[in-house]
Amino acid sequence: AGGLDALGVILPMLDSGLPVPVLIVQHISASSDSFIVTYFGKRCNLTVKEAEDKELLKPATVYFAPPDYHLLIDSDRTISLSNEEKVNFSRPSIDVLFETASWVYGNRLIGVLLTGANWDGSAGLEKIKNAGGLTIVQDPDTAEAARMPATALERFTPDYILTLEEIGQLLNRLFQIIPTR
């Protein structure tokens, strides 16, 4: 519910020198094709791809969870894909990614929760916060569907509550990147 539009604001703002990978869970149909990767690949300064099982994470790369697979991070910092049961009615689930990433990266992780129509992601984002990571929630007043960010705000206080433009700016600032555009 609004995720593609939200990502369409943030991802093109990120500079090609981003020194970290970006992992994204977008709730999509199990029968979706590679449209999302092609669409953002043409609009971003970063490499955009569908995540592959056992793939080593690389900086300046956006990894989208494939349709009907949970995206997890293994302790060796590789991607793991799973078709285990749905979590919060979703596969892929944001909570699954956030939880496994928090175990691996702890206080070196940044979690961002955007617009959405259910509560997926709020529990995982809270795990990131509890592990010492940085948490960012889209301001629900600016979200196409406020349920996801609002649910996170009901659970805990994130480090930042921002508009989409502010999120992109903050991510670049955190890595001291000045956009070349």
mmCIF file of all heavy atoms in Angstrom, residues 50-90:
data_model
loop_
_atom_site.group_PDB
_atom_site.id
_atom_site.type_symbol
_atom_site.label_atom_id
_atom_site.label_comp_id
_atom_site.label_asym_id
_atom_site.label_seq_id
_atom_site.Cartn_x
_atom_site.Cartn_y
_atom_site.Cartn_z
ATOM 1 N N GLU A 50 17.331 -8.837 -7.677
ATOM 2 C CA GLU A 50 16.563 -9.726 -6.821
ATOM 3 C C GLU A 50 17.548 -10.556 -6.005
ATOM 4 O O GLU A 50 18.538 -11.058 -6.539
ATOM 5 C CB GLU A 50 15.683 -10.635 -7.683
ATOM 6 C CG GLU A 50 14.690 -11.447 -6.894
ATOM 7 C CD GLU A 50 13.709 -12.173 -7.803
ATOM 8 O OE1 GLU A 50 12.684 -11.581 -8.162
ATOM 9 O OE2 GLU A 50 14.010 -13.332 -8.151
ATOM 10 N N ALA A 51 17.288 -10.672 -4.715
ATOM 11 C CA ALA A 51 18.190 -11.418 -3.832
ATOM 12 C C ALA A 51 18.242 -12.885 -4.236
ATOM 13 O O ALA A 51 17.231 -13.469 -4.649
ATOM 14 C CB ALA A 51 17.704 -11.288 -2.390
ATOM 15 N N GLU A 52 19.435 -13.477 -4.109
ATOM 16 C CA GLU A 52 19.636 -14.895 -4.424
ATOM 17 C C GLU A 52 20.147 -15.622 -3.181
ATOM 18 O O GLU A 52 20.946 -15.074 -2.420
ATOM 19 C CB GLU A 52 20.647 -15.047 -5.561
ATOM 20 C CG GLU A 52 20.179 -14.426 -6.865
ATOM 21 C CD GLU A 52 21.227 -14.523 -7.950
ATOM 22 O OE1 GLU A 52 21.879 -15.585 -8.070
ATOM 23 O OE2 GLU A 52 21.400 -13.530 -8.684
ATOM 24 N N ASP A 53 19.708 -16.852 -3.011
ATOM 25 C CA ASP A 53 20.103 -17.656 -1.862
ATOM 26 C C ASP A 53 21.619 -17.819 -1.807
ATOM 27 O O ASP A 53 22.264 -18.062 -2.828
ATOM 28 C CB ASP A 53 19.420 -19.024 -1.942
ATOM 29 C CG ASP A 53 19.411 -19.750 -0.614
ATOM 30 O OD1 ASP A 53 19.154 -19.102 0.412
ATOM 31 O OD2 ASP A 53 19.658 -20.977 -0.616
ATOM 32 N N LYS A 54 22.191 -17.647 -0.627
ATOM 33 C CA LYS A 54 23.632 -17.802 -0.329
ATOM 34 C C LYS A 54 24.499 -16.723 -0.963
ATOM 35 O O LYS A 54 25.711 -16.842 -1.006
ATOM 36 C CB LYS A 54 24.146 -19.191 -0.728
ATOM 37 C CG LYS A 54 23.364 -20.320 -0.094
ATOM 38 C CD LYS A 54 23.335 -20.214 1.402
ATOM 39 C CE LYS A 54 22.476 -21.302 2.033
ATOM 40 N NZ LYS A 54 22.001 -20.945 3.355
ATOM 41 N N GLU A 55 23.890 -15.649 -1.428
ATOM 42 C CA GLU A 55 24.623 -14.542 -2.036
ATOM 43 C C GLU A 55 25.272 -13.687 -0.949
ATOM 44 O O GLU A 55 24.648 -13.362 0.056
ATOM 45 C CB GLU A 55 23.641 -13.705 -2.862
ATOM 46 C CG GLU A 55 24.242 -12.553 -3.594
ATOM 47 C CD GLU A 55 23.222 -11.860 -4.502
ATOM 48 O OE1 GLU A 55 22.007 -12.138 -4.406
ATOM 49 O OE2 GLU A 55 23.659 -11.025 -5.294
ATOM 50 N N LEU A 56 26.517 -13.314 -1.156
ATOM 51 C CA LEU A 56 27.234 -12.426 -0.247
ATOM 52 C C LEU A 56 26.783 -10.992 -0.500
ATOM 53 O O LEU A 56 26.719 -10.551 -1.646
ATOM 54 C CB LEU A 56 28.744 -12.551 -0.466
ATOM 55 C CG LEU A 56 29.634 -11.768 0.481
ATOM 56 C CD1 LEU A 56 29.462 -12.251 1.920
ATOM 57 C CD2 LEU A 56 31.091 -11.917 0.060
ATOM 58 N N LEU A 57 26.473 -10.278 0.564
ATOM 59 C CA LEU A 57 26.011 -8.894 0.437
ATOM 60 C C LEU A 57 27.144 -7.980 -0.009
ATOM 61 O O LEU A 57 28.269 -8.090 0.467
ATOM 62 C CB LEU A 57 25.447 -8.415 1.771
ATOM 63 C CG LEU A 57 24.185 -9.134 2.238
ATOM 64 C CD1 LEU A 57 23.860 -8.760 3.677
ATOM 65 C CD2 LEU A 57 23.025 -8.807 1.326
ATOM 66 N N LYS A 58 26.817 -7.055 -0.912
ATOM 67 C CA LYS A 58 27.791 -6.095 -1.423
ATOM 68 C C LYS A 58 27.301 -4.680 -1.183
ATOM 69 O O LYS A 58 26.101 -4.417 -1.226
ATOM 70 C CB LYS A 58 27.987 -6.302 -2.929
ATOM 71 C CG LYS A 58 28.577 -7.638 -3.299
ATOM 72 C CD LYS A 58 28.701 -7.775 -4.802
ATOM 73 C CE LYS A 58 29.209 -9.153 -5.155
ATOM 74 N NZ LYS A 58 29.164 -9.388 -6.602
ATOM 75 N N PRO A 59 28.221 -3.748 -0.958
ATOM 76 C CA PRO A 59 27.810 -2.351 -0.792
ATOM 77 C C PRO A 59 27.222 -1.796 -2.088
ATOM 78 O O PRO A 59 27.430 -2.361 -3.169
ATOM 79 C CB PRO A 59 29.109 -1.635 -0.418
ATOM 80 C CG PRO A 59 30.206 -2.543 -0.846
ATOM 81 C CD PRO A 59 29.658 -3.929 -0.868
ATOM 82 N N ALA A 60 26.505 -0.685 -1.956
ATOM 83 C CA ALA A 60 25.924 0.027 -3.099
ATOM 84 C C ALA A 60 25.019 -0.870 -3.953
ATOM 85 O O ALA A 60 24.882 -0.661 -5.145
ATOM 86 C CB ALA A 60 27.015 0.663 -3.956
ATOM 87 N N THR A 61 24.413 -1.851 -3.317
ATOM 88 C CA THR A 61 23.520 -2.779 -4.015
ATOM 89 C C THR A 61 22.200 -2.865 -3.266
ATOM 90 O O THR A 61 22.185 -2.997 -2.051
ATOM 91 C CB THR A 61 24.152 -4.182 -4.124
ATOM 92 O OG1 THR A 61 25.429 -4.063 -4.777
ATOM 93 C CG2 THR A 61 23.277 -5.132 -4.914
ATOM 94 N N VAL A 62 21.113 -2.776 -4.021
ATOM 95 C CA VAL A 62 19.770 -2.925 -3.474
ATOM 96 C C VAL A 62 19.305 -4.347 -3.787
ATOM 97 O O VAL A 62 19.301 -4.763 -4.944
ATOM 98 C CB VAL A 62 18.788 -1.912 -4.098
ATOM 99 C CG1 VAL A 62 17.373 -2.150 -3.594
ATOM 100 C CG2 VAL A 62 19.238 -0.490 -3.831
ATOM 101 N N TYR A 63 18.927 -5.081 -2.740
ATOM 102 C CA TYR A 63 18.443 -6.457 -2.877
ATOM 103 C C TYR A 63 16.954 -6.490 -2.541
ATOM 104 O O TYR A 63 16.565 -6.169 -1.418
ATOM 105 C CB TYR A 63 19.181 -7.387 -1.915
ATOM 106 C CG TYR A 63 20.663 -7.468 -2.144
ATOM 107 C CD1 TYR A 63 21.531 -6.581 -1.508
ATOM 108 C CD2 TYR A 63 21.201 -8.433 -2.987
ATOM 109 C CE1 TYR A 63 22.906 -6.665 -1.715
ATOM 110 C CE2 TYR A 63 22.573 -8.518 -3.198
ATOM 111 C CZ TYR A 63 23.420 -7.618 -2.561
ATOM 112 O OH TYR A 63 24.763 -7.696 -2.765
ATOM 113 N N PHE A 64 16.141 -6.882 -3.504
ATOM 114 C CA PHE A 64 14.713 -7.058 -3.256
ATOM 115 C C PHE A 64 14.435 -8.522 -2.944
ATOM 116 O O PHE A 64 14.971 -9.415 -3.611
ATOM 117 C CB PHE A 64 13.886 -6.651 -4.483
ATOM 118 C CG PHE A 64 13.625 -5.185 -4.570
ATOM 119 C CD1 PHE A 64 14.437 -4.368 -5.350
ATOM 120 C CD2 PHE A 64 12.564 -4.610 -3.889
ATOM 121 C CE1 PHE A 64 14.200 -3.008 -5.440
ATOM 122 C CE2 PHE A 64 12.325 -3.251 -3.973
ATOM 123 C CZ PHE A 64 13.134 -2.443 -4.749
ATOM 124 N N ALA A 65 13.589 -8.750 -1.954
ATOM 125 C CA ALA A 65 13.151 -10.116 -1.656
ATOM 126 C C ALA A 65 12.364 -10.635 -2.855
ATOM 127 O O ALA A 65 11.513 -9.931 -3.391
ATOM 128 C CB ALA A 65 12.267 -10.130 -0.409
ATOM 129 N N PRO A 66 12.652 -11.868 -3.294
ATOM 130 C CA PRO A 66 11.892 -12.417 -4.412
ATOM 131 C C PRO A 66 10.445 -12.708 -4.011
ATOM 132 O O PRO A 66 10.156 -12.912 -2.826
ATOM 133 C CB PRO A 66 12.621 -13.722 -4.750
ATOM 134 C CG PRO A 66 13.768 -13.845 -3.841
ATOM 135 C CD PRO A 66 13.693 -12.761 -2.825
ATOM 136 N N PRO A 67 9.547 -12.741 -4.983
ATOM 137 C CA PRO A 67 8.153 -13.057 -4.674
ATOM 138 C C PRO A 67 8.038 -14.406 -3.965
ATOM 139 O O PRO A 67 8.694 -15.374 -4.345
ATOM 140 C CB PRO A 67 7.476 -13.121 -6.048
ATOM 141 C CG PRO A 67 8.379 -12.367 -6.960
ATOM 142 C CD PRO A 67 9.763 -12.513 -6.407
ATOM 143 N N ASP A 68 7.235 -14.446 -2.918
ATOM 144 C CA ASP A 68 6.876 -15.655 -2.182
ATOM 145 C C ASP A 68 8.032 -16.283 -1.402
ATOM 146 O O ASP A 68 7.983 -17.455 -1.048
ATOM 147 C CB ASP A 68 6.247 -16.685 -3.131
ATOM 148 C CG ASP A 68 5.253 -17.587 -2.418
ATOM 149 O OD1 ASP A 68 4.657 -17.155 -1.413
ATOM 150 O OD2 ASP A 68 5.084 -18.743 -2.860
ATOM 151 N N TYR A 69 9.072 -15.495 -1.111
ATOM 152 C CA TYR A 69 10.198 -15.971 -0.302
ATOM 153 C C TYR A 69 10.520 -14.962 0.792
ATOM 154 O O TYR A 69 10.603 -13.763 0.533
ATOM 155 C CB TYR A 69 11.472 -16.162 -1.144
ATOM 156 C CG TYR A 69 11.460 -17.410 -1.961
ATOM 157 C CD1 TYR A 69 10.962 -17.402 -3.256
ATOM 158 C CD2 TYR A 69 11.944 -18.614 -1.444
ATOM 159 C CE1 TYR A 69 10.941 -18.560 -4.019
ATOM 160 C CE2 TYR A 69 11.921 -19.771 -2.204
ATOM 161 C CZ TYR A 69 11.419 -19.735 -3.484
ATOM 162 O OH TYR A 69 11.395 -20.882 -4.237
ATOM 163 N N HIS A 70 10.735 -15.473 1.995
ATOM 164 C CA HIS A 70 11.265 -14.629 3.057
ATOM 165 C C HIS A 70 12.738 -14.366 2.757
ATOM 166 O O HIS A 70 13.455 -15.241 2.271
ATOM 167 C CB HIS A 70 11.162 -15.327 4.417
ATOM 168 C CG HIS A 70 9.767 -15.507 4.914
ATOM 169 N ND1 HIS A 70 8.894 -14.468 5.097
ATOM 170 C CD2 HIS A 70 9.095 -16.630 5.275
ATOM 171 C CE1 HIS A 70 7.751 -14.928 5.552
ATOM 172 N NE2 HIS A 70 7.841 -16.243 5.663
ATOM 173 N N LEU A 71 13.194 -13.181 3.076
ATOM 174 C CA LEU A 71 14.588 -12.777 2.912
ATOM 175 C C LEU A 71 15.200 -12.711 4.307
ATOM 176 O O LEU A 71 14.732 -11.954 5.155
ATOM 177 C CB LEU A 71 14.651 -11.413 2.217
ATOM 178 C CG LEU A 71 16.001 -10.728 2.064
ATOM 179 C CD1 LEU A 71 16.959 -11.598 1.267
ATOM 180 C CD2 LEU A 71 15.818 -9.378 1.381
ATOM 181 N N LEU A 72 16.228 -13.514 4.533
ATOM 182 C CA LEU A 72 16.897 -13.575 5.831
ATOM 183 C C LEU A 72 18.383 -13.301 5.647
ATOM 184 O O LEU A 72 18.926 -13.460 4.553
ATOM 185 C CB LEU A 72 16.742 -14.969 6.454
ATOM 186 C CG LEU A 72 15.339 -15.502 6.693
ATOM 187 C CD1 LEU A 72 14.825 -16.242 5.484
ATOM 188 C CD2 LEU A 72 15.346 -16.423 7.875
ATOM 189 N N ILE A 73 19.049 -12.945 6.742
ATOM 190 C CA ILE A 73 20.494 -12.774 6.738
ATOM 191 C C ILE A 73 21.086 -13.853 7.641
ATOM 192 O O ILE A 73 20.703 -13.983 8.798
ATOM 193 C CB ILE A 73 20.905 -11.381 7.257
ATOM 194 C CG1 ILE A 73 20.214 -10.274 6.458
ATOM 195 C CG2 ILE A 73 22.418 -11.218 7.224
ATOM 196 C CD1 ILE A 73 20.518 -10.292 4.988
ATOM 197 N N ASP A 74 22.013 -14.622 7.099
ATOM 198 C CA ASP A 74 22.690 -15.667 7.872
ATOM 199 C C ASP A 74 23.872 -15.076 8.629
ATOM 200 O O ASP A 74 24.365 -13.992 8.300
ATOM 201 C CB ASP A 74 23.184 -16.784 6.946
ATOM 202 C CG ASP A 74 22.075 -17.728 6.529
ATOM 203 O OD1 ASP A 74 21.074 -17.861 7.265
ATOM 204 O OD2 ASP A 74 22.209 -18.343 5.450
ATOM 205 N N SER A 75 24.359 -15.813 9.620
ATOM 206 C CA SER A 75 25.454 -15.332 10.466
ATOM 207 C C SER A 75 26.737 -15.048 9.674
ATOM 208 O O SER A 75 27.557 -14.243 10.095
ATOM 209 C CB SER A 75 25.741 -16.324 11.588
ATOM 210 O OG SER A 75 26.088 -17.573 11.047
ATOM 211 N N ASP A 76 26.900 -15.687 8.513
ATOM 212 C CA ASP A 76 28.078 -15.416 7.679
ATOM 213 C C ASP A 76 27.849 -14.225 6.740
ATOM 214 O O ASP A 76 28.619 -13.992 5.821
ATOM 215 C CB ASP A 76 28.498 -16.654 6.897
ATOM 216 C CG ASP A 76 27.442 -17.123 5.903
ATOM 217 O OD1 ASP A 76 26.331 -16.536 5.847
ATOM 218 O OD2 ASP A 76 27.718 -18.098 5.168
ATOM 219 N N ARG A 77 26.759 -13.496 6.983
ATOM 220 C CA ARG A 77 26.396 -12.294 6.229
ATOM 221 C C ARG A 77 26.084 -12.582 4.766
ATOM 222 O O ARG A 77 26.387 -11.775 3.880
ATOM 223 C CB ARG A 77 27.443 -11.216 6.385
ATOM 224 C CG ARG A 77 27.563 -10.798 7.833
ATOM 225 C CD ARG A 77 28.482 -9.667 8.060
ATOM 226 N NE ARG A 77 28.464 -9.371 9.501
ATOM 227 C CZ ARG A 77 29.238 -8.528 10.080
ATOM 228 N NH1 ARG A 77 30.106 -7.850 9.393
ATOM 229 N NH2 ARG A 77 29.155 -8.338 11.378
ATOM 230 N N THR A 78 25.474 -13.724 4.545
ATOM 231 C CA THR A 78 24.954 -14.042 3.230
ATOM 232 C C THR A 78 23.428 -14.039 3.303
ATOM 233 O O THR A 78 22.838 -14.116 4.384
ATOM 234 C CB THR A 78 25.439 -15.421 2.724
ATOM 235 O OG1 THR A 78 25.009 -16.428 3.648
ATOM 236 C CG2 THR A 78 26.944 -15.448 2.556
ATOM 237 N N ILE A 79 22.826 -13.974 2.144
ATOM 238 C CA ILE A 79 21.372 -14.000 2.036
ATOM 239 C C ILE A 79 20.884 -15.430 2.133
ATOM 240 O O ILE A 79 21.510 -16.354 1.611
ATOM 241 C CB ILE A 79 20.929 -13.385 0.698
ATOM 242 C CG1 ILE A 79 21.225 -11.885 0.701
ATOM 243 C CG2 ILE A 79 19.464 -13.668 0.398
ATOM 244 C CD1 ILE A 79 21.043 -11.213 -0.640
ATOM 245 N N SER A 80 19.774 -15.589 2.795
ATOM 246 C CA SER A 80 19.096 -16.881 2.840
ATOM 247 C C SER A 80 17.647 -16.641 2.440
ATOM 248 O O SER A 80 17.034 -15.651 2.873
ATOM 249 C CB SER A 80 19.180 -17.469 4.255
ATOM 250 O OG SER A 80 18.566 -18.729 4.293
ATOM 251 N N LEU A 81 17.126 -17.502 1.598
ATOM 252 C CA LEU A 81 15.731 -17.403 1.176
ATOM 253 C C LEU A 81 14.969 -18.582 1.744
ATOM 254 O O LEU A 81 15.484 -19.694 1.799
ATOM 255 C CB LEU A 81 15.623 -17.382 -0.346
ATOM 256 C CG LEU A 81 16.346 -16.230 -1.053
ATOM 257 C CD1 LEU A 81 16.214 -16.374 -2.561
ATOM 258 C CD2 LEU A 81 15.807 -14.880 -0.593
ATOM 259 N N SER A 82 13.737 -18.326 2.152
ATOM 260 C CA SER A 82 12.919 -19.366 2.767
ATOM 261 C C SER A 82 11.479 -19.241 2.282
ATOM 262 O O SER A 82 10.964 -18.134 2.147
ATOM 263 C CB SER A 82 12.957 -19.211 4.296
ATOM 264 O OG SER A 82 11.929 -19.959 4.893
ATOM 265 N N ASN A 83 10.862 -20.396 2.050
ATOM 266 C CA ASN A 83 9.436 -20.366 1.717
ATOM 267 C C ASN A 83 8.612 -20.954 2.859
ATOM 268 O O ASN A 83 7.538 -21.495 2.650
ATOM 269 C CB ASN A 83 9.166 -21.066 0.388
ATOM 270 C CG ASN A 83 9.537 -22.530 0.407
ATOM 271 O OD1 ASN A 83 10.063 -23.037 1.393
ATOM 272 N ND2 ASN A 83 9.275 -23.214 -0.682
ATOM 273 N N GLU A 84 9.131 -20.816 4.086
ATOM 274 C CA GLU A 84 8.377 -21.240 5.266
ATOM 275 C C GLU A 84 7.089 -20.439 5.350
ATOM 276 O O GLU A 84 6.889 -19.477 4.624
ATOM 277 C CB GLU A 84 9.232 -21.065 6.526
ATOM 278 C CG GLU A 84 10.401 -22.047 6.555
ATOM 279 C CD GLU A 84 11.263 -21.886 7.797
ATOM 280 O OE1 GLU A 84 10.843 -21.192 8.742
ATOM 281 O OE2 GLU A 84 12.364 -22.452 7.800
ATOM 282 N N GLU A 85 6.232 -20.793 6.291
ATOM 283 C CA GLU A 85 4.901 -20.197 6.369
ATOM 284 C C GLU A 85 4.938 -18.679 6.460
ATOM 285 O O GLU A 85 5.941 -18.081 6.871
ATOM 286 C CB GLU A 85 4.120 -20.787 7.534
ATOM 287 C CG GLU A 85 4.674 -20.445 8.898
ATOM 288 C CD GLU A 85 3.909 -21.138 10.012
ATOM 289 O OE1 GLU A 85 4.007 -22.368 10.117
ATOM 290 O OE2 GLU A 85 3.222 -20.427 10.763
ATOM 291 N N LYS A 86 3.836 -18.071 6.064
ATOM 292 C CA LYS A 86 3.713 -16.618 6.083
ATOM 293 C C LYS A 86 3.797 -16.092 7.518
ATOM 294 O O LYS A 86 3.403 -16.772 8.461
ATOM 295 C CB LYS A 86 2.393 -16.187 5.454
ATOM 296 C CG LYS A 86 2.334 -16.459 3.971
ATOM 297 C CD LYS A 86 1.016 -15.994 3.371
ATOM 298 C CE LYS A 86 1.031 -16.248 1.865
ATOM 299 N NZ LYS A 86 -0.192 -15.723 1.236
ATOM 300 N N VAL A 87 4.323 -14.897 7.641
ATOM 301 C CA VAL A 87 4.396 -14.190 8.913
ATOM 302 C C VAL A 87 3.612 -12.893 8.724
ATOM 303 O O VAL A 87 3.850 -12.165 7.762
ATOM 304 C CB VAL A 87 5.863 -13.891 9.297
ATOM 305 C CG1 VAL A 87 5.935 -13.042 10.547
ATOM 306 C CG2 VAL A 87 6.654 -15.186 9.447
ATOM 307 N N ASN A 88 2.679 -12.630 9.617
ATOM 308 C CA ASN A 88 1.805 -11.457 9.473
ATOM 309 C C ASN A 88 1.105 -11.446 8.113
ATOM 310 O O ASN A 88 0.995 -10.407 7.473
ATOM 311 C CB ASN A 88 2.593 -10.159 9.669
ATOM 312 C CG ASN A 88 3.204 -10.053 11.034
ATOM 313 O OD1 ASN A 88 2.595 -10.419 12.024
ATOM 314 N ND2 ASN A 88 4.429 -9.572 11.095
ATOM 315 N N PHE A 89 0.687 -12.622 7.687
ATOM 316 C CA PHE A 89 -0.015 -12.807 6.407
ATOM 317 C C PHE A 89 0.863 -12.496 5.209
ATOM 318 O O PHE A 89 0.358 -12.306 4.111
ATOM 319 C CB PHE A 89 -1.296 -11.961 6.351
ATOM 320 C CG PHE A 89 -2.200 -12.153 7.521
ATOM 321 C CD1 PHE A 89 -2.258 -11.212 8.536
ATOM 322 C CD2 PHE A 89 -2.988 -13.294 7.622
ATOM 323 C CE1 PHE A 89 -3.085 -11.393 9.635
ATOM 324 C CE2 PHE A 89 -3.815 -13.484 8.720
ATOM 325 C CZ PHE A 89 -3.868 -12.537 9.727
ATOM 326 N N SER A 90 2.162 -12.445 5.395
ATOM 327 C CA SER A 90 3.061 -12.012 4.332
ATOM 328 C C SER A 90 4.220 -12.984 4.118
ATOM 329 O O SER A 90 4.793 -13.502 5.061
ATOM 330 C CB SER A 90 3.662 -10.636 4.678
ATOM 331 O OG SER A 90 2.667 -9.689 4.892
#
